[in-house]
Amino acid sequence: MPSNDINVRYRTAGGAIVTVYGRICAYRAECGGCRERSNSFDSKHWAQNHAARCLALPR
């Protein structure tokens, strides 16, 4: 399984993109603004919540 398959993207209030990579049950997420990351099983939920509160500008 290529780990760089983009699954979903969310835009933050500041305009940065939170990207969720992976498929099946192996996901990871990264914010393109503040660079915060999640490697948990629930990365999609983390990414959506992070995008709603992160004010970082895109890098």
Side-chain angles (χ1 to χ4, degrees):
M1 173 190 82
S3 62
N4 288 333
D5 291 346
I6 294 174
N7 186 271
V8 67
R9 287 183 171 158
Y10 299 98
R11 184 173 301 277
T12 68
I17 302 291
V18 180
T19 306
V20 179
Y21 301 94
R23 48 181 147 143
I24 312 292
C25 62
Y27 295 106
R28 64 185 174 87
E30 179 180 324
C31 180
C34 70
R35 301 288 190 215
E36 192 171 336
R37 296 178 183 194
S38 171
N39 289 322
S40 70
F41 177 75
D42 203 16
S43 289
K44 287 182 181 180
H45 186 257
W46 176 88
Q48 188 174 16
N49 287 338
H50 183 77
R53 70 180 196 282
C54 182
L55 301 176
L57 298 172
R59 291 184 184 217

